[in-house]
Amino acid sequence: MEDTLRWSLVTAVAPVAWGANYYVTQAFLPAGQPLYGAAIRALPAGLLLLAVARALPRGSWWWKSLLLGTLNMGGFFALVYLAAQRLPSSVASTVMAAAPLVLMLIAWPLTAERPAPRHLAAAGVGVAGVALMLLGADTAVDALGACAAAAAMVMSCLGFVLAKRWYQADGAAAPGILASTAWQLVGGGLLLLPLAVGVEGGPPAVDGPALLGFGYTAVPATAVAFAAWFAGMRRLPAATVGLVGLLNPVTGVLLGTLVAGESLAPRQLCGLLLALVGILLGRPAPGRPPVSRSTAPPPQRAARACPAEPGRGPGTGT
């Protein structure tokens, strides 16, 4: 369980960084040009990771990287940028909080990871906690922004599960996390750039605060966060990773309290506790240490010696 805890903590880097990114987008980045905003986020981060990984795709990973880059990076970034500009961060975070449940449902047919009842219960508790924590009677909802947030959430969940399935299928021949993340970011950025030029014209004017904002968005909230997220997706059940993602809205609320001087009402404190309970319920059951590819026994022997637990797919590393 030490490995499971370690990889859960590594995975948590991503939703914490993303939770802060809503505030950075609203406070520092230019509005009205989501395609440029997404391209500026993806390309520098991808080139940075590519310089570190020093590896190019091989075989089917050329088209896989382009497809995953469209789902996880290109389309996702543009839609999230649009949602962050048109919605209060509370509404955007609440829509995205449905991701654990969507991730479980998509992973079930694609990776044979049937969600356990406690994972479904944890997702319900977590979403209820986020809604209680963030939504109020006077919260305004922009229809286009809400649709953009929902579409971004579904696209990214599909992309994450496809990446997990292809990692499992390739086994020891699967590309490294830094390399595959870099390919997706570069592919998504290259797809976005001509669309941004054709649809939005010239690039946005960037002042000092916007430059710092794009720096945070590209490096901690993208390069580091996605590398951590895909590392968790490769080694943990999709249900656990999805529930760790509830730290996204929790981070947004705590950041508002610490930076913007907002106070937490009793209702928000209750919602915060419910969201944390949902995350804790999603932990893998104790007593089954992760199995690495290099030390895993042959599939036939593993099936006789240690039958798979219900609700867990093959190759999850847990």
Side-chain angles (χ1 to χ4, degrees), residues 80-117:
V80 164
Y81 195 100
L82 178 62
Q85 295 289 347
R86 299 185 68 95
L87 291 176
S89 59
S90 61
V91 177
S93 297
T94 302
V95 173
M96 298 298 287
L101 181 59
V102 174
L103 198 64
M104 292 180 210
L105 296 178
I106 294 177
W108 190 354
L110 291 184
T111 64
E113 292 182 12
R114 184 175 61 185

Side-chain angles (χ1 to χ4, degrees), residues 223-247:
V224 175
F226 274 95
W229 185 258
F230 283 120
M233 284 295 299
R234 184 176 291 197
R235 293 169 174 86
L236 297 171
T240 299
V241 175
L243 290 167
V244 169
L246 290 173
L247 287 172

